[in-house]
Amino acid sequence: MNFEFTEEQLMIRQAARDYAQRELIVDVLERDEKMIYPTQHVKSLAELGFMGMLVDPKYDGGGMDTVSYVLAMEEISKVDSSVSVIMSVNNSLVCYGIQEFGSEEQKEKFLKPLARGEKIGAFLLSEPEAGSDATSQKTTAEDKGDYYLLNGTKNWITNGNTAGTYLVIAQTHPEKKHKGINVLIVDRHSPGITVGPHEDKMGMRSSDTHSVMFNDVKVPKENRIGEDGFGFKFAMKTLEGGRIGIAAQALGIASGAFERAVQYSKERKAFGTEIANHQAIAFKLADMAVKIENARNLCLKAAWLKDQHQPYGIASAMAKLYAADIAMEVTTEAVQIHGGYGYVKEYHVERLMREAKLTQIYEGTSEIQKIVISRDVLK
Amino acid sequence: MKILVCISNVPDTTTRIAIGPDGKSINTAGIQWIINPWDELALTRALELKDAGKLTEVVVANVGPALTEATLRKALATGADRAIRINAEPADAWMVAANLAEVIKNESFDIILCGIESSDYNGSTVGGLLAGMLDMNMVSSVSGLEIESDKLKIQREIDGGKEMLETKAPVLLVVQKGIAIVPRIPSMRGIMQARTKPLQTIEAVSGESMTATVQLLNPTAKGKCKMIEADKAGEVIRLLREEAKAL
């Protein structure tokens, strides 16, 4: 056992922290309120290499390990999860999926610009009637010989409008059920694609979430990843890794709120002393600290397993379930510690609380994580 | 043109400093070390000038034990081409300057940048001593540097305004806030490359110091504030006379 980070891992954490605390903090409240996409931040983070940090350097990525990714995701998410979700989807779903399962040609053509952050990717799995039940895909990819004809609607798509590259999950052989599903790399600007309006969300309001409609969109056959019918397996495998990113995001939301609560409790006075000196507050902070430490350890263990090429699906499900749940608890307590100030936007903790809620819902709800974990426990 | 940025290894500025058991040094347990913020701005400006094609090589150097290599590698990750560590515990400004001078004599740097002070001991002395030891032209309180062919255009902060100077290399500049706006953040690529960039270790030539720390003291605790009702002026006089003994 060794709990020490390497010099590189510490440098990455510091780089992410510096960017978040110096740059993201400046306009995060305004972007949240007005639902402004963080165009410049995505560009700057791409230049620093964060958008493709997990990709092999031979495909223009940063070549960093998953532990570094957890550290970076935590730091960015302490300040702004609208930005960290863009980073997470691009890194752990889109880039990872193409790098792990794509052909050499697909990596050259699609992965490189995504790893450089010149293009951003989106992962199109959810549908109006297929969220957790991902097998019941209604979007169809009809086999037309040398191309697929794509029809259907996808919902809740992060980077839905700004993405240049879509990974679309669609049904080709309905009779084969989930074994008939394919995954296609689709150019966002292909004829027949309509992007719906920016969803007006509770939190992470500056990330652009849209529905995407496909109407007779032609996709070249060579854009299919893997064998015919590989799509469902692809989605499940990719989401296993994606969970680590969202778990680290939830961790960051919790630790961001915690840091603010600690600071506030040392400044705010009530009954003649700083509120940190009241046991009611001090004990809350102790509970929050333990939860965060647990979540961090679960995230890092899942990341470490992935880096060691060991099975990490259960560890990543545990990390996401726990981190998302404690993010909700910790942010709620952070608002409580701030009292009335916590309920107004200027103090950030109400925003972090809104952001926390989404981590229990997307990339596999907490209930889905419990299915994954309980099936393993009972097998 | 070749530039040297002198780097001081200092505790992170958010560290809560505690005096060590000897009463002369700080307790270093658990401290995270960083590049002195003024040196970091100097490095950022050097890298900006290199990106603009005005400099050919950016070298960083410090005087410090092996643990300071992490700080030098951060400078390499940020974009410096190579690093030199002079292997010794920095004793005082004279000792640091004397050792840096030895390294500089063996190379031909056109510009040497030193941060105006280090955020730990705030000595503000190394730059001046170094210029003296090297018998070199020096400008202090520099807040702007441009290079136009062989001319160096320098901006200085002066009381109530700015002073614009021109000079030629070689020169030593003691730089302050404003030399760069925001310190550069290392990229993933830079962090990966840092381990493969040259980091040379040189044994210290001089251990001689001119000053010795006798004692470090914590700031005196602020006295408690006494509130006196507005209509009790007599009480103020009494307290000033009897307790504060100011009258």
Side-chain angles (χ1 to χ4, degrees):
Chain A
M1 284 297 280
N2 183 356
F3 283 98
E4 295 230 353
F5 295 119
T6 66
E7 205 175 289
E8 279 83 2
Q9 287 164 345
L10 290 173
M11 254 195 255
I12 288 163
R13 183 174 71 180
Q14 193 61 45
R17 185 177 293 169
D18 285 345
Y19 190 83
Q21 303 291 340
R22 274 186 217 149
E23 309 287 338
L24 292 176
I25 194 73
V26 177
D27 57 350
V28 62
L29 291 177
E30 190 193 359
R31 279 187 287 106
D32 176 68
E33 189 197 339
K34 298 181 183 161
M35 302 199 303
I36 302 167
Y37 183 80
T39 310
Q40 186 51 45
H41 293 304
V42 171
K43 192 166 173 277
S44 303
L45 286 166
E47 281 164 8
L48 289 171
F50 283 104
M51 286 297 156
M53 65 183 286
L54 291 171
V55 177
D56 191 324
K58 78 174 170 186
Y59 302 114
D60 298 344
M64 295 299 166
D65 59 8
T66 319
V67 168
S68 303
Y69 176 59
V70 165
L71 298 177
M73 279 296 294
E74 180 182 351
E75 291 303 325
I76 303 284
S77 307
K78 277 182 188 174
V79 178
D80 190 351
S81 282
S82 293
V83 170
S84 69
V85 71
I86 297 167
M87 192 176 136
S88 177
V89 168
N90 201 61
N91 266 295
S92 49
L93 296 182
V94 181
C95 287
Y96 172 78
I98 301 176
Q99 171 159 299
E100 197 68 11
F101 304 107
S103 68
E104 209 49 47
E105 293 74 27
Q106 287 167 345
K107 291 179 199 176
E108 281 295 322
K109 188 172 172 189
F110 301 107
L111 180 57
K112 281 186 169 180
L114 287 165
R116 291 194 294 265
E118 290 165 11
K119 278 191 181 176
I120 293 296
F123 191 81
L124 292 80
L125 173 66
S126 293
E127 296 189 354
E129 291 172 56
S132 293
D133 179 13
T135 53
S136 60
Q137 293 284 311
K138 295 239 167 41
T139 299
T140 55
E142 211 181 324
D143 190 339
K144 292 283 188 187
D146 56 350
Y147 66 90
Y148 286 103
L149 198 62
L150 203 52
N151 278 291
T153 300
K154 293 290 180 182
N155 257 25
W156 322 122
I157 305 306
T158 304
N159 304 338
N161 193 37
T162 45
T165 303
Y166 287 163
L167 291 188
V168 184
I169 313 290
Q171 183 57 271
T172 301
H173 314 283
E175 71 287 358
K176 293 187 188 168
K177 296 185 180 156
H178 69 278
K179 289 183 178 166
I181 292 173
N182 273 314
V183 54
L184 306 175
I185 307 173
V186 181
D187 182 338
R188 144 82 179 89
H189 298 288
S190 310
I193 294 179
T194 315
V195 174
H198 189 154
E199 300 286 358
D200 190 353
K201 306 191 293 292
M202 179 190 209
M204 301 199 203
R205 292 168 54 78
S206 83
S207 91
D208 69 321
T209 310
H210 297 259
S211 59
V212 179
M213 279 74 78
F214 297 93
N215 184 16
D216 284 342
V217 176
K218 285 184 180 180
V219 183
K221 261 283 174 62
E222 67 261 25
N223 285 16
R224 185 188 74 209
I225 297 178
E227 296 296 306
D228 189 20
F230 179 64
F232 186 71
K233 204 171 172 189
F234 172 89
M236 293 303 108
K237 282 274 168 206
T238 309
L239 286 168
E240 264 186 14
R243 281 182 216 138
I244 300 178
I246 300 305
Q249 179 183 58
L251 164 67
I253 294 170
S255 54
F258 175 70
E259 286 174 8
R260 287 182 181 278
V262 168
Q263 192 187 344
Y264 184 80
S265 72
K266 289 179 182 170
E267 291 165 1
R268 170 73 180 183
K269 286 187 180 171
F271 306 103
T273 183
E274 288 79 11
I275 60 170
N277 295 327
H278 298 305
Q279 198 180 63
I281 301 298
F283 277 20
K284 269 189 207 298
L285 292 170
D287 287 338
M288 291 156 85
V290 175
K291 286 173 183 173
I292 289 167
E293 185 66 12
N294 273 337
R296 188 177 290 124
N297 287 337
L298 284 170
C299 288
L300 289 170
K301 182 171 178 204
W304 180 84
L305 285 169
K306 185 162 182 266
D307 288 337
Q308 302 303 312
H309 307 289
Q310 293 185 37
Y312 61 90
I314 305 303
S316 70
M318 285 183 178
K320 183 179 182 280
L321 171 66
Y322 186 77
D325 285 352
I326 69 107
M328 208 54 237
E329 293 163 17
V330 168
T331 53
T332 307
E333 288 291 53
V335 170
Q336 190 67 20
I337 288 169
H338 280 74
Y341 291 98
Y343 205 64
V344 295
K345 292 184 188 293
E346 192 189 333
Y347 285 77
H348 293 273
V349 284
E350 68 83 30
R351 178 176 57 81
L352 292 164
M353 184 174 160
R354 287 187 279 113
E355 288 176 349
K357 188 62 212 167
L358 189 47
T359 65
Q360 291 181 311
I361 298 172
Y362 68 1
E363 291 202 30
T365 60
S366 290
E367 290 72 22
I368 286 289
Q369 307 307 330
K370 286 182 190 177
I371 292 177
V372 172
I373 298 161
S374 62
R375 277 185 188 157
D376 181 70
V377 168
L378 296 170
K379 94 180 158 193
Chain B
M1 275 201 210
K2 201 160 100 174
I3 197 164
L4 176 75
V5 183
C6 301
I7 299 272
S8 187
N9 180 64
V10 298
D12 183 280
T13 48
T14 59
T15 311
R16 299 180 75 172
I17 299 290
I19 297 173
D22 65 356
K24 296 180 186 178
S25 60
I26 61 163
N27 186 354
T28 56
I31 284 184
Q32 194 184 340
W33 300 94
I34 59 165
I35 304 174
N36 175 37
W38 286 275
D39 302 342
E40 198 178 19
L41 289 173
L43 174 63
T44 300
R45 184 61 191 145
L47 296 170
E48 287 167 359
L49 289 166
K50 194 187 171 206
D51 289 348
K54 307 283 187 185
L55 293 170
T56 51
E57 193 182 24
V58 177
V59 183
V60 291
N62 86 324
V63 176
L67 78 88
T68 65
E69 286 193 1
T71 301
L72 285 174
R73 263 193 293 277
K74 163 96 188 276
L76 293 172
T78 311
D81 297 297
R82 63 187 167 93
I84 301 167
R85 179 173 71 83
I86 301 160
N87 187 30
E89 194 66 49
D92 71 349
W94 181 273
M95 178 269 183
V96 169
N99 279 290
L100 285 169
E102 278 302 312
V103 170
I104 295 164
K105 274 180 202 160
N106 297 328
E107 296 209 35
S108 51
F109 292 106
D110 300 286
I111 306 169
I112 297 166
L113 300 184
C114 292
I116 195 159
E117 62 185 3
S118 62
S119 61
D120 48 4
Y121 290 98
N122 307 93
S124 312
T125 320
V126 171
L129 284 177
L130 186 55
M133 289 171 183
L134 294 165
D135 197 17
M136 203 171 179
N137 176 22
M138 173 197 147
V139 183
S140 73
S141 302
V142 173
S143 59
L145 170 65
E146 296 290 344
I147 302 173
E148 281 173 23
S149 61
D150 66 338
K151 241 185 253 168
L152 303 181
K153 297 197 159 187
I154 293 162
Q155 180 182 300
R156 284 185 76 243
E157 298 298 310
I158 55 169
D159 197 16
K162 295 184 194 312
E163 183 186 26
M164 312 303 285
L165 301 176
E166 275 186 16
T167 188
K168 286 190 175 178
V171 64
L172 187 148
L173 306 176
V174 173
V175 304
Q176 64 165 353
K177 218 171 147 188
I179 186 75
I181 306 303
V182 187
R184 187 173 286 198
I185 295 173
S187 69
M188 300 289 128
R189 192 168 293 269
I191 291 170
M192 277 219 305
Q193 287 169 345
R195 280 224 184 256
T196 58
K197 286 182 176 176
L199 194 165
Q200 186 187 1
T201 306
I202 296 175
E203 286 309 314
V205 289
S206 158
E208 188 192 12
S209 51
M210 292 291 187
T211 55
T213 305
V214 179
Q215 197 183 2
L216 292 177
L217 299 167
N218 282 312
T220 340
K222 278 185 195 162
K224 285 227 168 120
C225 179
K226 267 191 190 166
M227 305 299 282
I228 295 156
E229 301 288 325
D231 56 353
K232 291 183 179 154
E235 178 68 2
V236 179
I237 305 289
R238 189 189 69 78
L239 286 171
L240 284 172
R241 183 170 292 146
E242 293 174 15
E243 285 196 17
K245 301 198 190 305
L247 297 175

